[in-house]
Amino acid sequence: AADLPHVSESDPTAKALGYVEDASTTKDPKHKAGANCSNCQFYSGGPTGFGPCQLFPGKAVSAKGWCVSHAAKA
Ligand code: SF4
């Protein structure tokens, strides 16, 4: 997974979902404090770096990133 291309914030899907590589930079009111890709159920990477997200097939998102589809891991 480490060699998957990283999702760009300018990618159309990323823009549609409000994806940011650093959750602390989002101004989206839907963002809840502490929420990021590493604690999202769609993320299957490690706690740091980048890893796969089910919403971005074939690409990697940042563990500390975020998007509006964030759903806390069960
Ligand atoms: Fe990150 Fe979850 Fe959004 Fe994927 S769905 S980009 S893991 S917050």
Side-chain angles (χ1 to χ4, degrees), residues 9 17-33 35 65-68:
E9 291 181 5
L17 294 179
Y19 171 76
V20 288
E21 216 164 83
D22 182 343
S24 71
T25 67
T26 185
K27 295 183 172 59
D28 196 301
K30 294 187 204 69
H31 180 253
K32 295 192 179 84
W66 180 84
C67 87
V68 297

Side-chain angles (χ1 to χ4, degrees), residues 45-72:
T48 59
F50 287 75
C53 165
Q54 288 176 32
L55 276 58
F56 293 95
K59 293 187 180 167
V61 298
S62 171
K64 63 179 185 177
W66 180 84
C67 87
V68 297
S69 293
H70 182 274

